[in-house]
Amino acid sequence: MATISSEFQIFVKPVGPACNLSCRYCYYLGKKSLYPDTDHFLMADDILEKYVIQHIKASTDTTINFSWHGGEPLLAGIDFYREVVKLQRKHQPAGSTIVNGIQTNGILLDDDWGNFLAAEGFIVGISIDGPGDLHNNYRRTREDGTTLQQVIRGYELLQKHGVIPEILCVVNADNVKYPLVIYNFFKQLGARYITFLPLVETQPDSPTGASRNSVPSEEFGYFLSAIFDEWVEKDIGKIKVQIFEEAARTAFNQEHTLCIFKVNCGGVPVVEHTGDFYSCDHYVDSGHLNGNIRDHSLSYFLDSERQKAFGQAKFLTLPRYCIECEVRPMCNGECPKNRFMTTPDGEPGLNYLCSGYKYFFNHCRPFVEAISAAWENQNLKQRSG
C-alpha cells in the first residue's frame, strides 16, 4: 500500500479539550461531550508511550515532528512533557532528530517551563489577537476576565529564556478592521513568526451562513493585503508570515506545507487523550472517528482508505468555479470546513472566504510572479554559465 506517512502532522491532545480559559470562539471546548464519562482529561502513561513509538515508526523523514495541542496542553504539567522527552529519546532511531512543537495560551508559563522548553528545543506558539480589547474581547478567563496582560507576561518569559515564540492571531469581525495596528503591535513584541487564522463559525440561519463574530471574507482579504504591503516594504527577511510564505511557494513550484492550501488534505489528524484517532482537528466528531491506537497503529490509520478518501474529497468536491480560478494554485479551495457557500452559477462547495482569498492572492501575485521570474533567470544563467 502506498504510504502518506511522510506528510503527516498529528495534533496530539494530551488533555483533550480541557482548558484554563473560555475563549468565545473556541471550537474545541465542546468536544468534552465526546467523553461524557470523565472529567479527568489526561493521556495515560501507556497510551503516551504507545503513541510515541507509533509516531516514530510512521515517520519517514530523519526529522520527526511532534505537535502538542489542546485545549491547553500545558495543563498536562511539566512532568508529563519530561516523560515525553524521555520516551522520545528511548525510542529515537539513530541518525534522526526529534522536534516538539506546542501551542499554548501562555497563561501557565513560568521560569520552570521556560527553562524546560528552551533546554529541549520546543517550538512554542502563543495565541495573541492584538493589543488591548482586540485580544481581550474574545480570549477570556473562565470567570470572564481579560487575559492579555498574562499572555504578554508568558510571551516575554519565553523570550527571556531564549525561546522565540510563534504568534497565532485569530482574525475575527472586530480585529480585522485594524491590520497595521495588530501587525505593528506584534513587531513591538519582537515577533519573528506570525500566523493569521481566520475565524469562521457556521450559522445556517444567517445571510452569509456564518456567525456575526466570523471575519467578513472581503475584509480578511483587505487585512492580509495591508499587512503584506507593509511586510514587503519593511520586513522581508526579518519576519515570517505563514500565508505570505505559502503564497511564495508557488513561485518555486513547491507544494504547500499548510494543509488548508494543499490540493488534498488528510495529513493533519488528531490523536485524543484516549488514543482515539480523528480525521482532522476540525472534524473531531463521531462521524470522523477512525479508531484507537490501542487497536491499530498510526500508520494503519494514516494510510487507510478511509483517511485517504477524506483527504481526496477536498479536490474531488471542488466546484468548477474554483478549478478555473486564476489563483487556484495558491488556494486550492482552502479548508473544506469553510466550503458552505454556492458559486455564482449555483454550484455548492464554494469557500466562505473565497472573495477575501481571491483579493489577497491577486494582490500579491505580481510580487510572486516577479520572484518566479528572477528565480528562473538565475537558473538559466547557472545552466548557461
Side-chain angles (χ1 to χ4, degrees):
M1 181 184 293
T3 182
I4 62 169
S5 298
S6 60
E7 300 179 357
F8 73 83
Q9 179 190 10
I10 294 173
F11 282 3
V12 195
K13 311 282 188 171
V15 294
C19 190
N20 56 329
L21 298 185
S22 185
C23 298
R24 290 175 177 168
Y25 52 52
C26 183
Y27 62 90
Y28 215 79
L29 287 175
K31 304 306 177 183
K32 290 180 180 179
S33 64
L34 295 170
Y35 303 99
D37 297 330
T38 184
D39 57 3
H40 180 69
F41 297 93
L42 180 63
M43 183 174 282
D45 292 344
D46 63 321
I47 297 177
L48 175 60
E49 183 161 20
K50 189 178 291 287
Y51 171 71
V52 169
I53 292 170
Q54 292 183 10
H55 186 114
I56 289 172
K57 286 184 177 179
S59 299
T60 57
D61 200 342
T62 55
T63 299
I64 304 170
N65 295 289
F66 286 79
S67 299
W68 305 93
H69 280 246
E72 173 47 56
L74 296 193
L75 286 173
I78 197 168
D79 287 340
F80 176 89
Y81 293 100
R82 289 193 177 108
E83 182 66 14
V84 164
V85 172
K86 178 181 175 182
L87 290 170
Q88 289 171 340
R89 288 175 177 151
K90 176 182 175 182
H91 300 289
Q92 182 174 1
S96 67
T97 301
I98 291 179
V99 178
N100 286 287
I102 193 164
Q103 182 66 37
T104 176
N105 57 45
I107 303 293
L108 298 176
L109 290 168
D110 58 20
D111 283 320
D112 286 343
W113 275 110
N115 283 323
F116 170 76
L117 295 169
E120 300 300 341
F122 271 62
I123 297 170
V124 183
I126 290 191
S127 299
I128 311 175
D129 290 351
D133 286 344
L134 297 182
H135 176 95
N136 287 327
N137 282 343
Y138 289 85
R139 302 194 63 81
R140 314 289 292 185
T141 68
R142 291 177 180 175
E143 296 77 29
D144 201 28
T146 61
T147 63
L148 181 61
Q149 186 174 353
Q150 299 172 73
V151 174
I152 298 303
R153 180 198 58 80
Y155 183 92
E156 293 175 345
L157 185 145
L158 288 174
Q159 289 179 311
K160 182 183 76 172
H161 287 277
V163 178
I164 303 173
E166 300 185 358
I167 293 178
L168 174 64
C169 174
V170 176
V171 186
N172 53 65
D174 295 330
N175 64 0
V176 72
K177 300 175 176 64
Y178 306 96
L180 296 186
V181 170
I182 290 172
Y183 184 60
N184 287 327
F185 176 66
F186 292 160
K187 286 172 65 173
Q188 290 168 13
L189 291 176
R192 295 264 302 276
Y193 307 97
I194 304 172
T195 294
F196 293 111
L197 180 66
L199 175 63
V200 180
E201 300 171 325
T202 57
Q203 186 174 325
D205 60 350
S206 76
T208 62
S211 72
R212 63 176 298 276
N213 293 330
S214 298
V215 62
S217 179
E218 289 191 5
E219 289 188 39
F220 184 55
Y222 305 153
F223 175 94
L224 293 174
S225 298
I227 295 175
F228 178 80
D229 291 344
E230 183 80 358
W231 176 80
V232 167
E233 181 180 349
K234 300 177 180 178
D235 299 316
I236 291 179
K238 300 176 184 176
I239 298 174
K240 289 190 175 182
V241 180
Q242 188 181 53
I243 191 169
F244 302 166
E245 299 279 318
E246 290 294 321
R249 294 183 72 82
T250 61
F252 308 104
N253 297 315
Q254 295 174 330
E255 184 181 0
H256 288 292
T257 59
L258 192 58
C259 65
I260 61 173
F261 296 135
K262 286 178 177 285
V263 174
N264 296 309
C265 59
V268 189
V270 161
V271 170
E272 257 290 347
H273 69 293
T274 59
D276 287 342
F277 180 104
Y278 293 90
S279 293
C280 169
D281 190 44
H282 290 287
Y283 291 87
V284 176
D285 54 50
S286 58
H288 294 88
L289 172 60
N290 291 1
N292 192 285
I293 64 170
R294 291 181 186 271
D295 304 316
H296 294 287
S297 69
L298 282 178
S299 293
Y300 171 88
F301 291 123
L302 289 164
D303 300 331
S304 69
E305 292 303 318
R306 184 175 181 181
Q307 188 67 7
K308 288 180 181 179
F310 173 83
Q312 291 167 354
K314 178 181 178 179
F315 177 77
L316 295 176
T317 59
L318 201 62
R320 180 157 297 279
Y321 179 82
C322 298
I323 293 173
E324 297 173 351
C325 178
E326 69 274 14
V327 295
R328 198 268 298 170
M330 291 179 164
C331 172
N332 287 309
E334 209 244 7
C335 184
K337 82 175 183 67
N338 296 331
R339 285 161 51 177
F340 52 81
M341 306 287 285
T342 56
T343 66
D345 57 2
E347 190 176 1
L350 182 68
N351 197 296
Y352 166 80
L353 295 167
C354 173
S355 60
Y357 278 125
K358 183 175 284 191
Y359 182 92
F360 166 68
F361 286 129
N362 274 313
H363 182 84
C364 71
R365 271 178 75 194
F367 174 82
V368 172
E369 289 169 356
I371 292 175
S372 181
W375 180 62
E376 289 177 5
N377 287 336
Q378 182 65 28
N379 286 341
L380 284 172
K381 289 179 182 178
Q382 290 176 351
R383 288 196 293 268
S384 61

